[in-house]
Amino acid sequence: MPGEPDPGRPTSASGRGGRGGRGAQGAQALRHGASRASRAVGRASRAGARRARAWTAWGGAGETGLSKAIELHFVNLAGDAAVTVSLAGTVFAMPTDEARGEVARFLLLTMAPFVLLAPFVGPLLDRFRHGRRWAIGTTLAVRAFLCWVLAEALASDSAWLFPAALGCLVASKAYSITRSSAVPRLLPPHYTLVQANSRNAFAGVVGMAVGGGLAGAAAKVGPEWSLRLAFVIFVVATVLAIRLPARVDSSVGERDLDDTLPLPLGVPATGRRTLRQRVRGQVGALPAGLRAALVASVGTRMLVGFLTLFLTFLMRRHPLPDLSPTLVLALALGAAGLGNAVATLFGRSLGTRRPEAIVAAALVADLVAALLTAVFYSLWTLILLGLVTGLGVQLSRVGTDALVQRDVPEVMRTRVFAWCETVLQMAWVLGGAIGIALPLVPELGFGVATALLAVCLALSVRIRVVARRPAQA
């Protein structure tokens, strides 16, 4: 009958049920696909982690504990990258003149104590050799605390922003020094400092990429969240530092540098010496080739600090025509990172071949690139300068490490390594301070950088010439 439903035709309810069934099946298929994808990503991540751990443990590094130091450096650089991403658009967001003054003031207030205490870092480590792991862990814990303070300062626009930011810088430099004193204790048999530091540097480059990516995602919510991510990273790094092998604290075979190498003329061998005499004695006691390489490395490290701060403010005041200042800064500093990575990859093969020539070539290349930038200031010269700066600073470090390995006896290598790292960290600060103090004129700024590199080159050559005179006589 017309009023009765046809049993062969589905009702509207059953039709909706059919469509609902297909929708439920689609949702279930989507859930299954997402689950399979997440499992695949998890398997890939675990496989990648296993391969990474196998790489860090290769060549006996797992047995001696060097692999743990490499993993610690990876985590540390990931945290540093997160802090950099967080502060990129906040610390330098105020007007240029005001920002330069604030950065200079707090750089002085925070770095002056560090510079004054730097000559005592090596002796302090020698007196507390059994606490190197805790010293490294302390620098990381301090950074974790400061990252939390920074996050709160950003959220509330607190005056603690600059002190905490530059305090992170100080703690980062202190970490580099304390870690450098521990690495020689973890070398596997037939392993050189060049090889160890090349692997550490490569792990650091990867860590910066991972940390920067994670921090960039967190910063989408707000810069304080990427700082909270850095807090978590540094907490993990603190635990990893404390779990380093016990041999990091070993002092077997170590002796004081002052008691091992002869002192230069004019420095009393006995009795109580002043700080100036002590520092002069430490510098003069180093082999001439290492002193010359250290002076050259000071030049390359100063250029890094100068380029980082001078270019940051220069792009805000005098951007290149028709180019975004952020883009120019990213390209120049990205080129520096690329140069550092390339030097890291090839540093192992270059590190044992005439390290003096490697360090000298790195300084000369930096000088030429700075001169070209001063004369032909443009985007391409800035990118070239960034690339050469990254190459130079890493190659000079590789060469200096090789000279320490070759020319310094094992009984005092740890002390010399930490002392050299202290000098290079202060060189970075000096270069950054010069970059802040100079007028924001490209030709003037990069011309001054060229002159400083020329002075370092002349001093390095003079040290070599003076050292050869007695032999020729």
Side-chain angles (χ1 to χ4, degrees), residues 56-342:
T56 60
W58 177 79
E63 289 78 5
T64 63
L66 179 62
S67 60
K68 293 185 177 180
I70 295 173
E71 293 167 2
L72 169 64
H73 197 53
F74 167 86
V75 177
N76 168 74
L77 266 295
D80 275 348
V83 173
T84 302
V85 170
S86 304
L87 299 179
T90 55
V91 172
F92 299 104
M94 61 178 61
T96 302
D97 291 336
E98 182 182 351
R100 292 177 73 198
E102 289 294 313
V103 170
R105 181 164 63 91
F106 285 109
L107 187 63
L108 176 63
L109 291 176
T110 54
M111 295 307 292
F114 175 75
V115 172
L116 292 175
L117 292 175
F120 301 99
V121 171
L124 184 65
L125 288 172
D126 284 340
R127 290 182 180 275
F128 298 97
R129 290 184 177 99
H130 297 290
R132 286 195 184 107
R133 289 178 294 175
W134 292 99
I136 297 172
T138 299
T139 64
L140 294 163
V142 167
R143 271 191 284 173
F145 170 75
L146 291 175
C147 284
W148 191 265
V149 173
L150 270 173
E152 297 302 319
L154 282 177
S156 60
D157 196 20
S158 169
W160 286 100
L161 177 63
F162 275 99
L166 293 171
C168 282
L169 173 65
V170 176
S172 177
K173 303 307 177 187
Y175 161 83
S176 298
I177 294 169
T178 52
R179 183 189 63 85
S180 297
S181 68
V183 169
R185 312 303 303 173
L186 302 175
L187 293 181
H190 310 296
Y191 219 81
T192 67
L193 279 172
V194 174
Q195 293 171 313
N197 283 284
S198 293
R199 293 178 72 179
N200 265 303
F202 183 76
V205 170
V206 178
M208 290 183 68
V210 173
L214 293 175
K220 297 294 184 182
V221 182
E224 66 273 12
W225 285 102
S226 52
L227 284 167
R228 290 178 181 131
L229 171 65
F231 165 80
V232 174
I233 293 174
F234 284 128
V235 168
V236 173
T238 302
V239 175
L240 292 177
I242 297 172
R243 295 184 62 188
L244 286 171
R247 65 188 300 175
V248 168
D249 298 330
S250 173
S251 59
V252 176
E254 292 185 357
R255 282 155 46 197
D256 196 295
L257 175 63
D258 297 334
D259 298 333
T260 309
L261 290 176
L263 296 175
L265 296 176
V267 178
T270 59
R272 191 177 185 86
R273 290 180 288 157
T274 65
L275 173 62
R276 179 180 179 182
Q277 290 171 336
R278 185 176 181 85
V279 173
R280 183 185 172 194
Q282 291 179 350
V283 175
L286 296 175
L290 179 57
R291 276 185 285 138
L294 187 59
V295 170
S297 297
V298 164
T300 60
R301 192 67 67 95
M302 277 198 304
L303 183 60
V304 175
F306 172 84
L307 184 64
T308 301
L309 293 183
F310 182 76
L311 190 59
T312 298
F313 289 113
L314 178 65
M315 285 299 101
R316 299 179 61 190
R317 175 64 66 81
H318 300 295
L320 291 171
D322 302 325
L323 290 173
S324 167
T326 303
L327 175 63
V328 175
L329 186 62
L331 288 174
L333 297 183
L338 176 61
N340 195 286
V342 171

